[in-house]
Amino acid sequence: MRLQNRLNQYQRLYDKIGLDVQAVTVASLAAIFFCSERHTRTLLTQFQESGWISWSSQAGRGKRAQISCLKTPESLRESYLQKLLNEGEHSAALQLTQLDPQHLNSLLAPHLGGQWQEDAPTLRIPYYRPMQVLDPQTLNGRAEQHIAHTLHAGLTRFITGQPTPQPDLAHHWQIRQEGEVWQFFLRSQLYWHNGEPLLTRQLCQLFEKLRHSAHSRHSLENVERISQPHALCLQFNLKKPDYWLAHRLADLSCLLFHPTEPTIGAGPFKLAHFAAERVRLEQHPYYHLQRPYLSAIEYWISPQRYEPKGNDNVSCQHPVQIILGEKSEMGLLRPVKRSTSLGFCYLAVNLQRQHLTPAQAQKIIALIQHSGLLDNLPIDHSLVKRSREMLPGWPLPERNENHARINDVQLPPKLALMFHPPIELKLLADELKVILATHGCELHTSYHPGRLWDSVEQLAEVDLLLGDRLIGEAPVATLENWLRQDLLWPTILDAESLEQQNCRLLEIQQFPSESLREQRLREHFFQLMKQGSITPLFNYQYQVSAPPGVNGVQLTAWGWFDFCQAWLPPPLD
């Protein structure tokens, strides 16, 4: 970056000369700049034309000239930073500065939140880490999954706050032959983000690809055949009736993307720019449903804005700061939306490894729940809330075991635990290690960097697992899907239990009654919790803040707000 180089050279000059007038030679300046005398004269001309220095030269080699710096390097950097930020050149601004987090926060703050750029409402969101490539088949981050549902459409979709799937690319659908045949009737004149028509035969090909994808096949394993009865109809013939199918087709794993480019979709926003410092989404001009009010959304990615907390290799969860409104309104900020996530962090016990008996597993769970561990973690308790139920109306089993009986249970001398992000799970693992040590058990912990478990062999080597389960807009369907797709279950359940679970899921999916499907699934999870295989520990608290006058802030199940619902008041003259 030429500007960065010029500022670095000016910094060297300022360090030697300062603001006072000095008598110097070109040769001495060349030594400061580490360049030739010819290039030194070019630099001096540029600095003088920019108003950075006062330079009065004299004819003749070796003659001394008068020079003084007119500006401090800090003031120059800040003025250029402000210019770049005002122009929306966030990437260039970040390359220009190595500011400390506090200074960078104050510099970026006026440019974040709701802004009107060229008469178009634009939202700028600060974020703490680079994004994964936005291919819906590879995402596991919460922010990326939310963006994927914004970029990509499915045959069906979930609307914020509604647990039942709604039409998306499909205008409507029909269920025939007692749930074994589903026909989805597509809207006419559908378009990809690049302006190409979205064709029914492309969707047929995509679904065939998804059926064999490691990421999606669990959602479509019951599909026997996909066909195109006519130009605007997709037909799914199933091996067994499946009344979750419309839910499955709205899931992240079944979002539809352009045949040659997975980041091109047909959702309300398209991907306009993707870099480590900035991600920009722009409104899809051919969107088939109601178009959003916002014209563009930008993620300004500035890791240096966030102070490191704990182990940087583990910390991957920071509260997302979402601020809407003009700079003058920042003092009026108040929380406009707050909710408790239905997703939860959990403890799973690998009884299949046979290092733990069911009684020993129950003791560990009781120690976590009754020792005060969850209430005394060194974390912000406005961020988390101890779990009292798996889902609303799905209570945890009562564990009022006799303390004397629990104390009589001896724990193994050694146990192994694995945890994945967020950072709160590392803190929990550290505290659990201390508690188990007082009961004669040495706990060895290991860290898995991914948000999803990806190796049965790796999981089979540990006794306890700490994980984080996201819950979507359809909580019951999300939990059913969790049992089907997560490598956790074939690891911690023995072959007989796993077979029983699969048979139970097959039976549940064939009930047309949604309430009956929920009842049976709730009973199944209650048994898993009762035997100690899975125990929810705590939920996150989500919050969005905004000044008065900002409307349409609707929290999603992912802890973000619905980009299609938010709108900003126009600037006042």
Side-chain angles (χ1 to χ4, degrees):
M1 183 178 181
R2 294 182 61 189
L3 177 59
Q4 177 73 63
N5 293 334
R6 288 177 60 196
L7 287 170
N8 289 340
Q9 294 283 42
Y10 184 74
Q11 179 76 56
R12 295 191 186 99
L13 178 66
Y14 183 85
D15 290 342
K16 292 289 186 180
I17 301 299
L19 297 174
D20 297 329
V21 177
Q22 303 281 345
V24 296
T25 64
V26 172
S28 65
L29 292 177
I32 293 174
F33 293 141
F34 301 106
C35 64
S36 66
E37 292 187 19
R38 179 179 179 181
H39 187 59
T40 295
R41 291 188 177 89
T42 301
L43 284 175
L44 293 173
T45 300
Q46 292 174 345
F47 291 169
Q48 190 171 32
E49 290 175 351
S50 299
W52 297 3
I53 63 172
S54 171
W55 168 254
S56 175
S57 62
Q58 297 185 44
R61 184 174 180 83
K63 296 287 186 179
R64 291 185 174 269
Q66 302 293 313
I67 187 172
S68 65
C69 295
L70 301 179
K71 298 179 183 293
T72 66
E74 291 78 12
S75 66
L76 282 178
R77 287 183 186 277
E78 189 140 335
S79 65
Y80 278 102
L81 280 169
Q82 292 289 356
K83 181 175 183 293
L84 291 170
L85 290 169
N86 286 331
E87 294 172 352
E89 295 294 335
H90 173 241
S91 301
L94 287 182
Q95 293 175 31
L96 187 63
T97 182
Q98 299 295 325
L99 297 176
D100 62 274
Q102 185 175 358
H103 192 178
L104 187 59
N105 280 343
S106 62
L107 191 65
L108 291 180
H111 304 274
L112 299 172
Q115 304 282 335
W116 282 77
Q117 300 293 324
E118 298 180 355
D119 295 327
T122 301
L123 181 68
R124 288 170 172 167
I125 301 172
Y127 203 59
Y128 71 95
R129 61 167 174 80
M131 295 281 183
Q132 298 171 277
V133 175
L134 296 171
D135 178 350
Q137 289 286 292
T138 62
L139 302 178
N140 54 43
R142 182 164 59 93
E144 286 92 341
Q145 291 185 31
H146 176 65
I147 295 174
H149 283 280
T150 301
L151 295 178
H152 298 279
L155 289 182
T156 58
R157 63 194 287 264
F158 289 113
I159 296 176
T160 303
Q162 294 189 26
T164 56
Q166 305 297 313
D168 193 353
L169 295 177
H171 180 270
H172 65 282
W173 60 89
Q174 295 177 353
I175 306 173
R176 297 181 175 179
Q177 297 182 23
E178 298 181 335
E180 290 190 353
V181 176
W182 291 60
Q183 290 185 329
F184 292 86
F185 298 90
L186 303 182
R187 301 175 191 275
S188 59
Q189 297 185 340
L190 295 170
Y191 295 92
W192 297 109
H193 288 157
N194 60 5
E196 295 178 6
L198 188 156
L199 306 175
T200 309
R201 60 176 172 80
Q202 290 178 318
L203 300 189
C204 278
Q205 294 166 357
L206 280 171
F207 275 115
E208 286 297 338
K209 181 178 180 179
L210 295 179
R211 286 178 65 189
H212 300 94
S213 159
H215 184 69
S216 306
R217 63 189 179 201
H218 62 272
S219 294
L220 301 171
E221 62 186 358
N222 189 41
V223 176
E224 188 170 53
R225 185 166 60 93
I226 302 171
S227 58
Q228 182 181 341
H230 58 78
L232 293 177
C233 180
L234 274 181
Q235 180 170 302
F236 291 75
N237 289 75
L238 308 182
K239 303 169 188 175
K240 296 286 185 181
D242 184 4
Y243 287 93
W244 296 114
L245 183 61
H247 296 75
R248 302 193 202 286
L249 295 178
D251 186 71
L252 175 72
S253 63
C254 289
L255 292 181
L256 299 165
F257 47 88
H258 190 274
T260 62
E261 177 48 61
T263 61
I264 294 177
F269 287 88
K270 63 180 181 179
L271 185 62
H273 180 82
F274 185 89
E277 300 86 6
R278 183 170 66 102
V279 174
R280 179 179 171 88
L281 314 180
E282 294 178 354
Q283 200 179 105
H284 176 22
Y286 308 107
Y287 187 48
H288 51 278
L289 299 176
Q290 181 177 350
R291 289 169 63 181
Y293 182 83
L294 293 174
S295 177
I297 298 163
E298 292 184 347
Y299 286 80
W300 284 19
I301 301 165
S302 313
Q304 55 269 61
R305 296 186 73 237
Y306 297 85
E307 295 287 359
K309 296 181 181 179
N311 186 339
D312 284 341
N313 294 327
V314 178
S315 178
C316 75
Q317 176 107 19
H318 292 267
V320 178
Q321 301 176 10
I322 303 177
I323 299 174
L324 310 178
E326 298 298 327
K327 179 180 179 182
S328 61
E329 299 174 311
M330 292 298 104
L332 303 176
L333 282 175
R334 84 266 188 243
V336 293
K337 290 291 178 182
R338 182 187 285 117
S339 71
T340 300
S341 163
L342 293 181
F344 49 80
C345 292
Y346 63 83
L347 171 74
V349 179
N350 183 3
L351 294 174
Q352 186 175 192
R353 195 178 186 214
Q354 298 183 347
H355 280 201
L356 279 168
T357 66
Q360 291 170 330
Q362 296 291 345
K363 178 170 181 173
I364 292 174
I365 295 169
L367 288 173
I368 292 174
Q369 293 184 332
H370 300 309
S371 66
L373 184 156
L374 294 173
D375 298 319
N376 295 304
L377 288 176
I379 57 179
D380 182 356
H381 287 279
S382 67
L383 181 65
V384 300
K385 179 180 179 181
R386 182 174 173 177
S387 299
R388 304 292 181 182
E389 51 189 0
M390 177 166 275
L391 290 179
W394 293 32
L396 305 185
E398 293 289 338
R399 298 192 188 277
N400 296 322
E401 291 89 353
N402 182 280
H403 286 287
R405 194 181 76 182
I406 288 179
N407 289 333
D408 289 340
V409 176
Q410 296 297 313
L411 294 178
K414 293 184 178 181
L415 288 174
L417 177 146
M418 183 180 290
F419 63 94
H420 67 51
I423 182 62
E424 288 76 19
L425 293 184
K426 180 189 185 302
L427 301 175
L428 179 59
D430 291 343
E431 293 296 320
L432 185 57
K433 182 184 296 187
V434 174
I435 290 177
L436 293 189
T438 65
H439 290 264
C441 177
E442 182 182 352
L443 183 65
H444 295 269
T445 64
S446 59
Y447 172 60
H448 175 67
R451 296 301 296 258
L452 301 174
W453 309 118
D454 56 19
S455 169
V456 171
E457 293 74 22
Q458 184 184 36
L459 298 184
E461 297 300 316
V462 297
D463 306 290
L464 305 171
L465 298 108
L466 290 174
D468 180 24
R469 184 66 223 173
L470 292 174
I471 299 293
E473 296 292 346
V476 179
T478 301
L479 288 181
E480 194 269 355
N481 192 39
W482 185 29
L483 295 175
R484 289 181 176 275
Q485 69 169 328
D486 203 317
L487 294 178
L488 175 73
W489 305 107
T491 301
I492 67 174
L493 299 179
D494 60 38
E496 182 180 355
S497 297
L498 189 62
E499 178 62 26
Q500 289 175 353
Q501 175 169 282
N502 291 336
C503 290
R504 193 167 292 123
L505 293 179
L506 183 60
E507 176 190 14
I508 291 172
Q509 75 179 37
Q510 298 184 58
F511 294 128
S513 169
E514 187 172 350
S515 61
L516 184 56
R517 294 200 304 273
E518 177 177 351
Q519 176 190 332
R520 294 296 177 86
L521 196 64
R522 181 175 67 243
E523 293 169 354
H524 178 69
F525 268 104
F526 188 84
Q527 290 302 315
L528 290 173
M529 291 188 289
K530 190 173 181 179
Q531 70 192 33
S533 295
I534 195 78
T535 302
L537 300 176
F538 55 82
N539 308 78
Y540 282 96
Q541 302 277 75
Y542 295 148
Q543 180 175 302
V544 176
S545 297
V550 175
N551 298 281
V553 177
Q554 189 94 347
L555 272 174
T556 71
W558 305 106
W560 286 83
F561 67 95
D562 191 335
F563 292 157
C564 293
Q565 299 296 321
W567 61 276
L568 308 176
L572 300 177
D573 294 332

